Amino acid sequence: MKFGVVVYPGSNCDADCYHVVKNVLEQPVEYIWHEETSAGGFDCLILPGGFSYGDYLRAGAIARFSPVSQRVADFAAKGGLVLGICNGFQILLEAGLLPGAMKRNQRLKFTCHQSFLRVENTDNPFAGRLVRGQVIQVPVAHGEGNYYCDEQTYQELEKNNQIVFRYCDRDGTLTPEANPNGSLESIAGIVNKQGNVLGMMPHPERCAEEILGGTDGLSIFASIITWWERGGQLG
Amino acid sequence: MFKAEVFVTLKKSILDPQGQAITDALHALNYQQVKDVRMGKYLQLKLEAASGEEARTAVTQMCEKLLANTVIEDYQIKISEV
């Protein structure tokens, strides 16, 4: 399975994503510079975290118009897997590949710490190796992770099982204290309706090896590989 | 040559934590009379267009595409000739 890590000017988590795929999971992976318009032959594209274009105007607002972003959209439209992490999630929202928008963290602080996530839905390529209701620990590091969508969109997310991760406490309870940014209904990660595009604010690439203090993040990457190896079909 | 002034603000239904923080700060400075603050963005564009209407049409498209995130933001445009 071939992975591509998209690199925008200002992306800074690309190397960590690349490392997890190449060295921890030993899968073929390449960087894709944002000016590349011929990104073919990939099975999964990763939009990594960082501050693409300095977060100028709005986080992800300018990156969505980078040449490579149309390739990502075309790839997603054909059912290709796209994993957007942090700034990657913001870019997917700005590009309309995922519904909703990000606002500034409610407490206005850049929040940077370990977070607990409750797995809401495993019927997708990104969480197949996890169990519904499971609590995993993944670090967050963001200033604009306050996910918002209107009521109608939220009802659709619920109805279509698009909410994949929510912030919770270590027991899996959703509380305002456990929510680092005030996001709607503690949403930390969602998929699109087809299930092939996932955006999440926490950083699974930062907890993919024991030496970093945990490997819950590795399960997400491993889920993608397992799904693909089983000839994954989207529901 | 036209000047376009674009005011981008959060939609009324969206909670504005920055505005709230500014309100609290103003209260701390004894301006209790301030009941609410909402913070937005102001952009100034200089652009060429055949007419003010054409300028407005173009800037509206720019707002819809890039300058505002219409999921959570509204925008207002003022056009003047320079």
Side-chain angles (χ1 to χ4, degrees):
Chain A
M1 159 167 219
K2 193 162 169 216
F3 286 80
V5 177
V6 180
V7 184
Y8 295 97
S11 297
N12 64 17
C13 302
D14 45 322
D16 286 346
C17 291
Y18 185 95
H19 167 76
V20 171
V21 176
K22 177 157 185 177
N23 301 324
V24 182
L25 289 164
E26 294 178 336
Q27 299 288 314
V29 60
E30 270 174 40
Y31 289 114
I32 305 171
W33 179 235
H34 76 111
E35 283 172 343
E36 279 295 326
T37 49
S38 59
F42 293 96
D43 304 300
C44 177
L45 296 180
I46 300 175
L47 304 192
F51 297 88
S52 59
Y53 295 93
D55 278 2
Y56 295 151
L57 188 61
R58 296 181 305 278
I62 299 173
R64 70 162 282 210
F65 289 115
S66 249
V68 75
S69 296
Q70 187 55 53
R71 308 273 332 165
V72 175
D74 295 340
F75 178 80
K78 291 195 194 115
L81 298 183
V82 181
L83 171 62
I85 300 167
C86 204
N87 189 219
F89 186 7
Q90 292 161 339
I91 295 167
L92 290 171
L93 288 168
E94 285 283 338
L97 288 174
L98 287 171
M102 280 301 174
K103 291 174 6 180
R104 183 118 177 242
N105 289 353
Q106 190 163 42
R107 286 168 223 138
L108 300 177
K109 291 185 184 163
F110 185 92
T111 182
C112 183
H113 52 70
Q114 291 287 0
S115 232
F116 290 109
L117 304 180
R118 193 174 74 190
V119 179
E120 302 289 292
N121 169 29
T122 57
D123 267 334
N124 57 70
F126 309 93
R129 289 176 73 113
L130 298 166
V131 171
R132 203 164 162 217
Q134 182 180 356
V135 175
I136 58 175
Q137 187 173 264
V138 188
V140 295
H142 57 253
E144 282 160 308
N146 187 347
Y147 177 79
Y148 169 84
C149 65
D150 61 27
E151 181 61 33
Q152 191 187 346
T153 306
Y154 179 72
Q155 292 306 328
E156 274 176 40
L157 292 179
E158 283 273 43
K159 194 179 84 175
N160 300 325
N161 264 320
Q162 290 175 247
I163 301 167
V164 181
F165 302 112
R166 287 191 217 253
Y167 301 108
C168 64
D169 65 15
R170 63 174 63 242
D171 301 315
T173 313
L174 307 184
T175 68
E177 295 74 32
N179 186 337
N181 49 49
S183 69
L184 181 75
E185 303 289 346
S186 301
I187 288 171
I190 59 171
V191 284
N192 62 344
K193 205 160 160 195
Q194 303 91 287
N196 62 315
V197 178
L198 179 126
M200 61 187 294
M201 283 314 291
H203 289 264
E205 80 285 10
R206 292 188 189 179
C207 52
E209 289 168 283
E210 278 307 334
I211 197 174
L212 292 175
T215 54
D216 285 343
L218 190 63
S219 304
I220 292 163
F221 293 93
S223 292
I224 296 172
I225 295 165
T226 302
W227 181 88
W228 191 84
E229 281 173 350
R230 288 185 186 156
Q233 297 293 315
L234 290 164
Chain B
M1 190 72 78
F2 289 90
K3 175 168 99 173
E5 294 172 277
V6 180
F7 302 86
V8 180
T9 51
L10 282 174
K11 290 188 165 162
K12 284 203 167 46
S13 53
I14 311 284
L15 275 157
D16 180 5
Q18 286 188 100
Q20 185 57 54
I22 296 166
T23 308
D24 294 343
L26 287 172
H27 287 175
L29 292 172
N30 279 325
Y31 291 109
Q32 264 70 26
Q33 65 211 126
V34 174
K35 295 304 163 202
D36 186 45
V37 174
R38 291 181 73 77
M39 204 178 95
K41 286 178 208 157
Y42 168 73
L43 298 107
Q44 222 182 61
L45 290 82
K46 236 203 276 203
L47 69 156
E48 284 175 344
S51 67
E53 263 143 51
E54 197 191 275
R56 178 171 289 276
T57 305
V59 175
T60 303
Q61 283 173 14
M62 294 174 211
C63 287
E64 288 288 324
K65 271 195 179 159
L66 177 71
L67 301 179
N69 181 332
T70 54
V71 175
I72 49 173
E73 291 171 330
D74 289 327
Y75 58 89
Q76 281 174 291
I77 302 169
K78 252 170 42 177
I79 305 281
S80 52
E81 204 159 352
V82 290

